[in-house]
Amino acid sequence: MTALPAWMLLHLVLAATGTWLARRYALKKQLLDQPGERRSHVVATPRGGGIAIVVSVLLGIVWLALKDPSDALLLGCFATGLILVAGIGWVDDHRPIPAWPRLLVHAVAAFLLAWGVHSSSPGLLAPVVAFVLALVLVNIWNFMDGIDGLAASQAAIVALAMVLLLDGVWAWIAAGLVAALAGFLPFNFPKARIFLGDVGSGALGFLLAGLLVAAFRSDRVSWPLLLLPISAFLVDAGFTLGMRILRREPWWMPHVQHTYQKWAGRNVSHVGVTLAYAGFSLVAAMLVLIGIGWTDYGSASICLVWFLGAGFLWARMRRDISNE
């Protein structure tokens, strides 16, 4: 563990330097997110800063795979899937791509992660969980990346919980991700000078899926608890998506109907909304760590109560915002 601080410092420096370079590149190439009715920001802002996080963590994964060949196949599948997700996002940041080709690439990346998990452990449950988590979280993190600091801070909280929960190479990957996000966040919060872009938001979802699958396979906590750190995004994205589908709206198109967006648009600063979501997720992450050793029944009960409370809170906030 003595090398862990140096490992994290290296990721932080790489990500911070890479984000600075990505911002210069975006300004030169005019890769700017313009304000509009489907955006929550009011100033044209460079995008694509998430490439720095991807490169930093990817280099760490490659180094870990070379250091321990016993994990090389799984880490290779994980790294390849990450490249696919980040790559299609990078292209989309330069030239918009239709939703379905992007989803197909995401599905291939999710399959690669599932294949790697299947090749390294018996049974079909873990690969199925890997595929579903990867496909869902890649798109949720993309949907929820709409105000300053939100997607990156939520990812940092989940990754930090995984640092404390996991061991071996996956703890190192989680620690590297936390540090890389710490290098990126000063450019994105409290006032964004660059956005993650699709290259970053989708990649964060894929990275978190890999970490959560590693925690699922470790059996250190009952699996329902692993849903808690991502519950803020699951509830907001899930209910909002459901509402748009019921209204027969094009749910895959950009919009400002998520609760966090409506809250930020109600003369509440992006900082306040991001910190409120962070507080919610920090409590959820602490519950996961406290829940080590809980029975499946107890964990499922806590998870049910938590999600019912989160759903009630989401509905209450939607009502209050609509009434103003």
Side-chain angles (χ1 to χ4, degrees), residues 126-199:
V128 171
V129 169
F131 180 84
V132 173
L133 266 181
L135 197 57
V136 169
L137 293 188
V138 164
N139 287 281
I140 281 182
W141 244 260
N142 184 272
F143 292 156
M144 297 293 289
D145 180 30
I147 63 172
D148 300 350
L150 182 63
S153 62
Q154 289 290 304
I157 292 168
V158 180
L160 181 59
M162 295 303 104
V163 173
L164 302 174
L165 190 63
L166 296 169
D167 52 24
V169 297
W170 291 100
W172 284 72
I173 293 172
L177 178 55
V178 170
L181 286 162
F184 168 80
L185 268 167
F187 295 87
N188 187 240
F189 185 81
K191 185 65 176 178
R193 289 180 285 154
I194 190 168
F195 294 146
L196 282 167
D198 286 344
V199 63

Side-chain angles (χ1 to χ4, degrees), residues 2-92:
T2 57
L4 192 59
W7 170 263
M8 295 183 72
L9 179 61
L10 179 60
H11 278 78
L12 186 150
V13 172
L14 283 173
T17 304
T19 304
W20 179 76
L21 291 172
R23 186 173 186 275
R24 293 192 63 183
Y25 172 83
L27 289 171
K28 181 179 179 180
K29 295 292 186 179
Q30 289 295 294
L31 302 179
L32 304 175
D33 277 344
Q34 300 291 342
E37 62 179 13
R38 293 183 176 180
R39 305 283 184 178
S40 295
H41 60 284
V42 295
V43 178
T45 306
R47 62 177 179 266
I51 187 65
I53 300 170
V54 173
V55 171
S56 174
V57 177
L58 187 61
L59 289 173
I61 294 172
V62 171
W63 187 85
L64 290 169
L66 293 174
K67 182 182 177 183
D68 187 359
S70 65
D71 288 315
L73 178 58
L74 174 55
L75 292 178
C77 290
F78 186 46
T80 304
L82 176 61
I83 291 171
L84 286 174
V85 172
I88 194 68
W90 180 251
V91 173
D92 193 52

